[in-house]
């Protein structure tokens, strides 16, 4: 008998597909949900973009000045490897733009938070949003939402408060903002303070800790009452006002049209995920990713966005990377898919894991795509060894969660031109799942001769032979 599969062991030379996530074990079609409409009275997107352009005009001006004055071949804009303007550069910009040095630094920081300027390693350069600023309303709105998400970095926090207390207020503010959005008008400071105290107490109760501090008696506390959270609420509202999300004064706060729209968008993202079969908003990162493994890519990305909208970006990125360090290769790939949704704020943390062999190939692909590489070509940043390690890791995900034909098709994404070359390099790369992957591949492949060669390679890895 002869196999219907040709004995030629050469692999088809195809452009490797992105390997950040293994094929989904189940592809289910889900009914499309009608696009939700924003609340009545919300300005049109073009008007919202006009507001955002107006609010970020200073940041755009400084970013364009830096692009023209400090481009390739000219003196660097920063001095500390963190994209902070050097004194000489800030003074020069102030002279040429007719601003104070403080204004230049403030506008530069805003440009960074809005993605008009992107930090890559030890240098800063114009972001894609700056290039598209005048012609793409979506780019403008995404830039403003990025600034809105970073409100806690836009205004210095009080120096005399514990970092843990500041973090609690940052975690509690989404509920305060939601209340402001639903109120659709001015809300007294005393009411916001009471809501903040309740939410912080809930957060501490969830962690089985004692309440934050003395709660007010039944009567409503007056504006400015000396409670532990009053100064931090004042800081949070001033920071949100500084990015244009609300107006704050006379003992009350009101969301701006941009702020109201942004909060509605985030609430809608959360509602979409809450109504989905997965419903992963309140899950830890690992459980959320496991729940998304069965979804189509677009549905999974919607879940990621909702999950991210419900928690601070920094802690979300930390959770995702912790999940990526686990034993499940599928979750590793999905974690980096979720980090693609995070975008620029995740770059420092992704760059920090380049020294971890398990995460390095995924991080290199993520950084390449973040720097503008086409996802189809991003694999070119990997060395042969890194590409082989990633092939084994992705094969492990397919073996654990996919079906046999998927594993056979996975051969097409290997960089090696022949099966013998692939087996030689797979044996040498030292992936901890190599034996299991080769055994699964041998069991799945319909060509007896090829399956025998793969089984022999698995035995050699298992026994340490050559």
């Amino acid at each position: 008998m002869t196999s219907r599969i040709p004995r030629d062991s050469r692999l088809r030379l195809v452009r490797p597909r992105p390997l950040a996530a293994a094929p989904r074990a189940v592809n289910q079609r889900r009914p499309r949900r009608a696009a939700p409409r924003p609340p009545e009275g919300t300005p049109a997107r073009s008007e919202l973009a006009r507001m955002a352009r107006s609010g970020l005009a200073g940041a755009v001006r400084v970013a364009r000045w830096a692009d023209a004055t400090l481009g390739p071949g000219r003196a660097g804009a920063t001095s500390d490897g963190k994209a902070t303007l050097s004194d000489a550069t800030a003074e020069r910009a102030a002279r040429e733009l007719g601003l104070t040095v403080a204004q230049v630094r403030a506008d530069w920081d805003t440009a960074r938070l809005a993605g008009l300027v992107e930090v890559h390693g030890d240098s800063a350069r114009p972001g894609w949003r700056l290039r598209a600023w005048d012609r793409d309303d979506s780019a403008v709105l995404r830039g403003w939402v990025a600034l809105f998400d970073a409100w806690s970095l836009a205004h210095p926090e009080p120096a005399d408060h514990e970092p843990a207390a500041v973090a609690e207020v940052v975690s509690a503010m989404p509920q305060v903002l939601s209340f402001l959005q639903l109120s659709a008008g001015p809300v007294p400071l005393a009411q916001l303070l009471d809501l903040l105290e309740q939410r912080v107490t809930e957060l501490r109760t969830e962690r089985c800790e004692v309440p934050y501090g003395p709660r007010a008696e039944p009567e409503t506390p007056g504006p400015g009452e000396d409670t532990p959270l009053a100064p931090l609420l004042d800081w949070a509202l001033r920071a949100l006002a500084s990015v244009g999300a609300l107006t704050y004064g006379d003992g009350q706060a009101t969301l701006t049209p941009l702020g109201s729209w942004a909060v509605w968008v985030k609430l809608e993202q959360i509602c979409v995920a809450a109504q989905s079969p997965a419903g992963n908003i309140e899950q830890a990162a690992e459980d959320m990713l496991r729940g998304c493994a069965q979804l189509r890519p677009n549905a999974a990305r919607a879940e990621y966005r909702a999950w991210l909208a419900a928690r601070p970006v920094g802690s979300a990125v930390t959770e995702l990377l912790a999940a990526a360090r686990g034993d499940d290769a599928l979750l590793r790939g999905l974690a980096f898919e979720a980090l693609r949704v995070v975008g620029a704020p995740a770059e420092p943390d992704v760059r920090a894991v380049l020294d971890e062999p398990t995460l390095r190939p995924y991080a290199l692909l993520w950084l390449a795509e973040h720097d503008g590489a086409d996802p189809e070509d991003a694999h070119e940043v990997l060395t042969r060894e890194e590409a082989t390690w990633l092939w084994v890791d992705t094969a492990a995900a397919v073996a654990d969660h996919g079906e046999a034909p998927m594993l056979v098709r996975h051969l097409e994404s290997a960089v090696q031109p022949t099966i013998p070359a692939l087996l030689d390099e797979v044996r040498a790369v030292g992936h901890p799942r190599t034996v299991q992957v080769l055994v699964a591949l041998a069991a799945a492949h319909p060509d007896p001769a090829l399956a025998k060669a793969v089984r022999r390679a698995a035995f050699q890895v298992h026994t340490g032979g050559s």
Side-chain angles (χ1 to χ4, degrees), residues 18 120 125 340 364-381:
H120 296 271
R125 62 173 180 252
R340 285 174 172 82
L364 287 171
L365 290 178
W366 190 99
L367 291 167
E369 293 177 29
H370 178 63
D371 285 348
D374 188 307
E376 291 289 322
D377 300 326
H379 67 280
E380 294 175 3
V381 303

Side-chain angles (χ1 to χ4, degrees), residues 248-335:
Y248 174 43
D250 298 326
Q252 60 186 21
T254 308
L255 285 179
T256 63
L258 271 172
S260 179
W261 169 79
V263 174
W264 171 80
V265 167
K266 293 187 175 296
L267 287 172
E268 182 60 27
Q269 289 173 350
I270 293 172
C271 289
V272 168
Q275 295 169 10
S276 74
N280 295 293
I281 302 171
E282 297 182 359
Q283 301 295 325
E286 183 172 332
D287 293 331
M288 180 273 293
L289 294 172
R290 206 175 298 281
C292 290
Q294 310 299 322
L295 301 178
R296 290 178 175 274
N298 286 341
R301 280 190 289 272
E303 291 280 332
Y304 302 151
R305 282 192 292 269
W307 187 85
L308 291 164
R311 49 194 36 82
V313 174
S315 61
V317 171
T318 299
E319 269 198 70
L320 289 170
L321 288 174
R325 293 186 179 96
D327 295 331
D328 194 328
L330 177 62
L331 297 191
R332 190 157 28 254
L334 293 177

Side-chain angles (χ1 to χ4, degrees), residues 80-96:
D80 62 354
K82 299 178 182 178
T84 302
L85 285 181
S86 66
D87 291 340
T89 300
E91 291 169 3
R92 179 182 174 187
R95 287 194 307 270
E96 296 185 10

Side-chain angles (χ1 to χ4, degrees), residues 370-427:
H370 178 63
D371 285 348
D374 188 307
E376 291 289 322
D377 300 326
H379 67 280
E380 294 175 3
V381 303
L382 302 179
T383 65
R384 183 78 162 232
E385 183 178 4
E386 290 163 349
T388 303
W389 194 100
L390 185 58
W391 185 90
V392 178
D393 203 52
T394 310
V398 177
D400 290 342
H401 300 277
E403 300 173 354
M406 292 182 181
L407 193 58
V408 175
R409 290 197 300 272
H410 185 56
L411 285 171
E412 298 176 359
S413 65
V415 297
Q416 291 78 8
T418 66
I419 291 292
L422 172 64
L423 295 178
D424 286 344
E425 295 184 35
V426 164
R427 285 199 299 264

Side-chain angles (χ1 to χ4, degrees), residues 173-258:
M173 282 306 292
Q175 185 164 331
V176 175
L177 289 168
S178 298
F179 182 76
L180 278 166
Q181 200 272 339
L182 293 172
S183 299
V187 178
L189 180 61
Q191 197 171 358
L192 297 177
L193 180 58
D194 185 60
L195 178 61
L196 179 65
E197 288 179 333
Q198 291 180 43
R199 181 57 183 149
V200 168
T201 299
E202 290 171 0
L203 292 172
R204 294 177 67 85
T205 301
E206 290 169 4
R207 299 196 303 269
C208 300
E209 298 180 12
V210 296
Y212 180 82
R215 289 292 314 279
E217 293 303 320
E219 60 269 19
T220 304
E225 182 176 341
D226 186 17
T227 68
L229 291 177
L232 288 174
L233 175 61
D234 178 74
W235 159 71
L237 294 176
R238 290 183 186 280
L240 286 159
S242 74
V243 302
L246 53 78
T247 58
Y248 174 43
D250 298 326
Q252 60 186 21
T254 308
L255 285 179
T256 63
L258 271 172

Side-chain angles (χ1 to χ4, degrees), residues 31-47:
R32 286 194 174 186
R33 183 176 182 266
R37 297 180 63 85
E40 186 177 353
T42 302
R45 283 179 64 87
S46 58
E47 177 62 14

Side-chain angles (χ1 to χ4, degrees), residues 122 144 151 172 222 261 322 343 363 373 386 408 411 430 451 456 461:
D122 59 354
W144 189 85
W151 66 265
W261 169 79
E386 290 163 349
V408 175
L411 285 171
R456 184 185 305 115
V461 174

